Amino acid sequence: IEALAIDPLQPATLYAATYDADWGEHGVFKSIDGGATWIETLDDGMTGAFVRSLVIDPLTPSTVYAMTGNSVFKSTNGGEEWKILNVGSSESLIGFLTINPLIPTNLYAIESETSGLKLILSTDGGESWKASNIGLTYPNIHAISINHIEPATLYAGTNVGLFNSTNGGGN
C-alpha cells in the first residue's frame, strides 16, 4: 500500500494505492464496506506508474485525486472514471500532493525540475498550475502541509529547515 484516503463523509469508503514490487503491478482500489471488499478503479495500464499519493476533496468526496511520479489523475465520480491533468512540464516529476481543506479547488504539489524542487499551486481543481515558490531560498522541498484551521498557512519542509507561508503560498 503506497497511499490511503478515507472519505470524510462516508468513512467506510476507502481508497488504496497499491504497488507490487515483485510483479510491477499497481493501481487504485476502492472499498465501500470499510475494507472488507475492494474493486480496482484506476489500473497501471492507464497510469503507467504507481500512485504515490491520494487526496479526497473534503467538501465533495466523490472528487478524488491520484498522483503518480509524473501525472495527476482526477475523478469526479468516486473513481468510476478518471482524467489526466496537465501538471508541470513533460520532463518534470511530481512528488507530493495536498488539498486545501476549506477551498478544495486549491491543490499544492511539489514539482521536480533540473533546477531543483518547487512548490506549485492549482486554484481550479488541477486544471492549471503555477509556481508558488516566492521566498523559498532553498528549492529542495520534500513535504508540504496545510494548517486546517488557517488554510492560508502552509509549511514546506526542506533539507535546511521548515518554511512557512501565511498567504496560501504567495510568498
Side-chain angles (χ1 to χ4, degrees), residues 31-131:
S31 173
I32 59 171
D33 56 11
T37 60
W38 296 86
I39 58 167
E40 188 170 32
T41 68
L42 182 63
D43 65 29
D44 57 0
M46 182 173 181
T47 63
F50 69 91
V51 172
R52 300 167 185 248
S53 182
L54 291 169
V55 177
I56 296 176
D57 180 326
L59 302 180
T60 310
S62 60
T63 299
V64 182
Y65 298 89
M67 184 275 303
T68 68
N70 54 10
S71 302
V72 174
F73 295 83
K74 179 180 183 178
S75 173
T76 57
N77 56 9
E80 290 181 31
E81 299 170 315
W82 296 84
K83 79 174 196 172
I84 190 167
L85 303 173
N86 293 321
V87 181
S89 68
S90 60
E91 294 86 32
S92 65
L93 296 174
I94 308 303
F96 193 86
L97 184 67
T98 193
I99 192 167
N100 183 313
L102 297 181
I103 309 168
T105 54
N106 288 2
L107 300 164
Y108 296 88
I110 298 172
E111 180 182 21
S112 174
E113 299 180 319
T114 55
S115 61
L117 303 173
K118 69 178 181 179
L119 183 66
I120 57 175
L121 163 67
S122 172
T123 58
D124 57 7
E127 297 298 324
S128 63
W129 297 82
K130 65 179 180 180

